[in-house]
Amino acid sequence: GMDSNGLTTGRPGQPWGLCDQSAAPPPCISEVGRPNINWSYSDGFMGNLIWDFLPERHISPFLGVGVGLYHLQFNSHFYFSGVPGPITAQNPALQSLQLGGSILRPTQFAFQGLGGVSCHVKRKLNLDFTVKYIDAPFLRWNTLNDTPGVSRPHGLQPGDFRGGSSDVSVNVGLRYQL
């Protein structure tokens, strides 16, 4: 039977998950060969303090810390795994969600730790081999219901998602000492 909200016994009152678009639409059965269309990139602006342990030597290990701004951009598409409410043109049974990254908030706080080895090239110029750990704990991503024919305020609108990002990278670069 159907209750006053138009829900049947077999349909949940709220979405209970998201399916990646590399899977079939709900119930999210994996399909071999279906392409994954998600991508991401990040950039940041960091101020660092670096301690060289043996600056008078040709090769010197170093450690550092930094704080700054971070931006994580990604484009991911998902299907809602259970659409609640009566099924109408404005609330179809199959709806998709685009999770757009920190588009509206590109200047979010981050910190990093780094360490490595610096090789003296010439006066005040060094070649650095660096391992960095960066953490941006307070990111916020905006979402968009990108189901064809469904626009705000109709359809499912889950709002912003909050979370963090951390990354480890290995870099080779030139450092000029002031």
Side-chain angles (χ1 to χ4, degrees), residues 51-61 118 120 126 177:
W51 293 272
D52 285 306
F53 291 107
L54 303 168
E56 67 284 347
R57 298 275 176 101
H58 180 69
I59 296 177
S60 174
S118 183
H120 181 70
N126 290 25
Q177 296 170 314

Side-chain angles (χ1 to χ4, degrees), residues 23-63:
C28 304
I29 298 167
S30 180
E31 287 187 353
V32 176
R34 190 165 183 162
N36 188 320
I37 57 173
N38 302 333
W39 55 263
S40 68
Y41 77 86
S42 64
D43 53 35
F45 178 79
M46 304 295 288
N48 296 304
L49 291 174
I50 297 174
W51 293 272
D52 285 306
F53 291 107
L54 303 168
E56 67 284 347
R57 298 275 176 101
H58 180 69
I59 296 177
S60 174
F62 63 88
L63 287 176

Side-chain angles (χ1 to χ4, degrees), residues 9-174:
T9 308
R11 288 187 58 217
Q14 61 185 5
W16 46 270
L18 294 172
C19 307
D20 186 290
Q21 283 194 342
S22 63
C28 304
I29 298 167
S30 180
E31 287 187 353
V32 176
R34 190 165 183 162
N36 188 320
I37 57 173
N38 302 333
W39 55 263
S40 68
Y41 77 86
S42 64
D43 53 35
F45 178 79
M46 304 295 288
N48 296 304
L49 291 174
I50 297 174
W51 293 272
D52 285 306
F53 291 107
L54 303 168
E56 67 284 347
R57 298 275 176 101
H58 180 69
I59 296 177
S60 174
F62 63 88
L63 287 176
V65 295
V67 296
L69 304 175
Y70 187 76
H71 174 69
L72 177 62
Q73 171 75 37
F74 59 90
N75 191 10
S76 300
H77 296 266
F78 300 93
Y79 295 111
F80 288 105
S81 60
V83 176
I87 300 303
T88 64
Q90 290 79 31
N91 190 42
L94 181 62
Q95 295 185 40
S96 58
L97 167 76
Q98 180 179 355
L99 191 58
S102 55
I103 295 171
L104 300 178
R105 296 160 192 90
T107 54
Q108 298 183 36
F109 170 76
F111 60 91
Q112 74 178 1
L114 53 101
V117 177
S118 183
C119 299
H120 181 70
V121 176
K122 58 190 291 188
R123 187 176 180 267
K124 295 190 175 189
L125 184 65
N126 290 25
L127 177 65
D128 288 356
F129 299 91
T130 309
V131 176
K132 293 183 184 178
Y133 170 78
I134 188 166
D135 189 41
F138 307 112
L139 296 177
R140 192 169 170 180
W141 297 281
N142 59 322
T143 62
L144 170 69
N145 184 328
D146 63 351
T147 307
V150 175
S151 59
R152 290 185 188 266
H154 303 290
L156 291 171
Q157 305 293 336
D160 292 346
F161 289 16
R162 294 173 189 235
S165 175
S166 59
D167 183 49
V168 175
S169 63
V170 177
N171 302 289
V172 177
L174 292 174

Side-chain angles (χ1 to χ4, degrees), residues 1-14 83-86:
M2 193 173 284
D3 67 14
S4 60
N5 294 322
L7 301 177
T8 61
T9 308
R11 288 187 58 217
Q14 61 185 5
V83 176

